[in-house]
């Protein structure tokens, strides 16, 4: 996350709003197509293997067979649609290269499913770091040789090839040596049909989630052009970076909650949910308050060309805050209430799309930021409701009042020092926030031990 943040600081300045807008459009475009490759099967397979690990190898081979087929179909489709729409030649070239990487990366999903079920996430973390390292390296190379966005998208291909190779060795610890050719050729057609049918709610859920997270970039490009896309993406990049942490937490909790639900351990589910939610709130709320107050200084780190992104960031920074708050219940909903999650996210796609179409021509990219916040809020609100009413009741406000009060006090302090350099203002805010939490006795003796126990399961 740190490496990417530093690299993107240089990249945004190098490309400028217009070319950076092109680059972000390409990434959003291939991501929207890439979600079809997964087809929601990964979440379903994780759930099934978590319930019966003896079937891991069987599910792995059949999942891989499906991914090979879907990868080929999706790659051809994304290139064909780009040609049909007459995108800029440079954009089409970037889609061809980046799209091929997305297609190859689709083959890693079966491996990742097995690794997740067996909580072997330290190796997954290594591959995530490798992806970031490759990305950072290509960014520096592109800047050094004055390359184009096509070279930047090559990261997708390099990482995907390495990931498949490395995962092939990692997975042997859990299911033995994969018999790729034999396994793919001897697929269970009846099982694949069952998987596709059962995974449809997961597919729609993942698809809707990707669309409502990426549709704003596509609509901004179409309505306002690449330059405005670049300015909005500069602010949105902070959302992407901050959203990395809750994504990791969700990835670790998903198989844990699936296992606990299969064992009907509702008390342990409630205990885990409340403790994690408390920790996430303590991280999220000061990020929102501090990010809004210091948005101008944060964007100022990039380049004067992106000054218009500051008010966008002041709003957008609350999107990861909301995500932090509901990511724990998200792991339960996706695992146990998939159809409800699908419906909620589908409605969100419609609201987000309509809202952007209405607001973008009137108030510009501020409208897209508003709709992102609205979408996250609606998602979180319904997820809380369904978990409380259908899985287990849990506390919320009594868990977050201390971080909320601490964030308010911190916000006052940061407001008074906001004219200072950001590397001075931020530490002041952190110290004030920490002292308030200490005074309110937020920290408990068993917090560190509990976190160590939970993360030991994930590594």
């Amino acid at each position: 996350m740190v490496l990417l943040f530093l690299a993107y600081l240089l990249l945004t300045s190098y490309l400028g709003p217009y070319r950076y807008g092109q680059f972000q459009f390409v990434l959003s475009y291939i991501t929207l197509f890439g979600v079809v490759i997964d087809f929601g099967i990964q979440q379903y397979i994780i759930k099934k293997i978590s319930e019966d690990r003896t079937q891991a190898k069987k599910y792995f081979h059949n999942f891989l067979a499906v991914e090979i087929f879907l990868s080929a179909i999706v790659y051809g489709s994304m290139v064909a649609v780009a040609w049909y729409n007459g995108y800029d030649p440079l954009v089409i070239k970037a889609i061809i290269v980046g799209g091929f990487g997305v297609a190859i990366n689709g083959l890693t999903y079966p491996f990742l499913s097995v690794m997740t079920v067996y909580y072997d996430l330290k190796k997954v973390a290594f591959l995530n770091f490798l992806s970031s390292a490759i990305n950072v390296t290509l960014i520096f190379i592109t800047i050094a040789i004055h390359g184009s966005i096509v070279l930047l998208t090559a990261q997708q291909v390099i990482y995907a090839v390495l990931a498949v190779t490395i995962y092939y060795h990692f997975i042997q610890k859990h299911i033995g040596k994969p018999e790729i050719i034999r396994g793919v050729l001897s697929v269970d057609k009846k099982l694949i049909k069952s998987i596709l049918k059962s995974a449809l709610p997961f597919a729609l859920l993942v698809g809707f989630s990707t669309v409502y997270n990426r549709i704003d970039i596509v609509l901004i490009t179409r309505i306002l052009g690449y330059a405005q896309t670049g300015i909005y993406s500069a602010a949105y990049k902070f959302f992407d970076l901050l959203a990395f942490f809750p994504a990791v937490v969700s990835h670790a909790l998903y198989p844990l909650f699936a296992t606990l639900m299969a064992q009907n351990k509702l008390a342990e589910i409630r205990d885990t949910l409340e403790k994690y939610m408390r920790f996430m709130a303590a991280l999220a709320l000061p990020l929102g308050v501090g990010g809004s107050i210091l948005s101008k200084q944060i964007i100022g780190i990039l380049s004067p060309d992106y000054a218009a992104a500051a008010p966008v960031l002041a709003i957008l920074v609350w999107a990861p805050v909301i995500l932090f708050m509901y990511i724990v219940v998200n792991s339960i909903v996706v695992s146990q209430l998939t159809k409800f999650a699908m419906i909620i996210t589908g409605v969100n796609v419609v609201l987000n799309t309509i809202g952007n179409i209405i607001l973008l021509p009137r108030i510009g990219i501020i409208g897209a930021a508003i709709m992102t916040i609205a979408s996250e809020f609606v998602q979180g609100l319904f997820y809380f409701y369904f978990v409380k009413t259908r899985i287990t009741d849990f506390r919320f406000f009594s868990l977050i009042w201390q971080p909320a009060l601490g964030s308010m006090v911190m916000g006052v302090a940061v407001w008074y020092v906001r004219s200072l350099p950001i590397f001075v203002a931020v530490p002041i805010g952190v110290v004030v926030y920490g002292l308030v939490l200490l005074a309110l006795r937020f920290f408990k003796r068993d917090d560190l031990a509990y976190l160590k126990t939970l993360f030991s399961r994930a590594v």
Side-chain angles (χ1 to χ4, degrees), residues 127-385:
L127 282 167
N128 286 337
F129 175 78
L130 179 63
S131 174
S132 297
I134 294 170
N135 199 0
V136 168
T137 301
L138 278 181
I139 287 174
F140 286 141
I141 291 174
T142 301
I143 295 173
I145 67 174
H146 302 287
S148 70
I149 63 173
V150 178
L151 179 58
L152 292 171
T153 58
Q155 178 268 342
Q156 305 272 351
V157 180
I158 297 171
Y159 168 72
V161 173
L162 286 174
V164 171
T165 304
I166 296 172
Y167 269 136
Y168 178 83
H169 295 284
F170 282 167
I171 204 176
Q172 296 180 31
K173 174 182 175 182
H174 307 297
I175 64 172
K177 188 174 182 178
E179 301 169 2
I180 303 297
I181 298 177
R182 180 182 176 185
V184 170
L185 294 178
S186 60
V187 295
D188 186 338
K189 294 182 180 179
K190 186 176 180 180
L191 177 61
I192 287 181
K193 184 178 179 180
S194 175
I195 289 174
L196 291 174
K197 182 179 179 180
S198 300
L200 183 59
F202 290 94
L204 293 174
L205 172 60
V206 174
F208 289 151
S209 297
T210 304
V211 169
Y212 100 77
N213 278 318
R214 295 290 179 176
I215 193 64
D216 48 1
I217 299 294
V218 176
L219 290 174
I220 291 171
T221 301
R222 190 166 187 84
I223 296 173
L224 302 177
Y226 286 122
Q228 287 297 298
T229 299
I231 292 173
Y232 179 79
S233 297
Y236 200 91
K237 180 53 63 178
F238 289 93
F239 176 23
D240 280 342
L241 292 171
L242 291 174
F244 170 80
F245 182 72
V248 171
V249 171
S250 177
H251 203 67
L253 287 180
Y254 180 83
L256 175 63
F257 280 135
T259 301
L260 292 176
M261 283 298 298
Q263 298 169 353
N264 199 34
K265 294 183 177 180
L266 296 182
E268 188 172 345
I269 288 174
R270 182 173 59 252
D271 185 52
T272 302
L273 189 153
E274 289 184 349
K275 289 192 175 184
Y276 253 103
M277 193 176 298
R278 180 169 158 268
F279 297 139
M280 297 299 280
L283 290 172
L285 294 174
L287 282 175
V289 174
S292 291
I293 295 173
L294 299 175
S295 60
K296 186 175 181 180
Q297 292 90 323
I298 294 172
I299 291 297
I301 297 173
L302 302 179
S303 164
D305 294 335
Y306 295 92
V312 177
L313 177 60
I315 299 172
L316 265 182
V317 72
W318 289 96
V321 171
I322 298 172
L323 180 61
F324 269 65
M325 303 290 278
Y326 80 76
I327 198 65
V328 184
V329 294
N330 171 78
S331 301
I332 301 177
V333 172
V334 173
S335 170
Q336 304 299 320
L337 302 170
T338 312
K339 291 183 179 179
F340 287 107
M342 176 194 70
I343 294 171
I344 295 166
T345 312
V347 171
N348 243 340
V349 169
V350 176
L351 292 176
N352 197 318
T353 303
I354 294 175
N356 272 290
I357 292 174
I358 294 173
L359 294 179
L360 283 174
R362 291 167 173 79
I363 58 176
I365 54 179
I366 291 290
I370 292 173
M371 289 312 304
T372 298
I373 297 297
S375 296
E376 292 293 338
F377 181 78
V378 169
Q379 197 85 358
L381 184 66
F382 279 101
Y383 277 11
F384 269 71
Y385 172 76

Side-chain angles (χ1 to χ4, degrees), residues 33-39 41 67 70-71 74 102-103 106-107 109:
F33 276 89
V35 73
V36 181
I37 298 175
D38 177 22
F39 199 72
I41 302 175
E67 292 303 274
L70 288 177
S71 294
V74 169
V102 168
L107 304 184
Y109 296 151

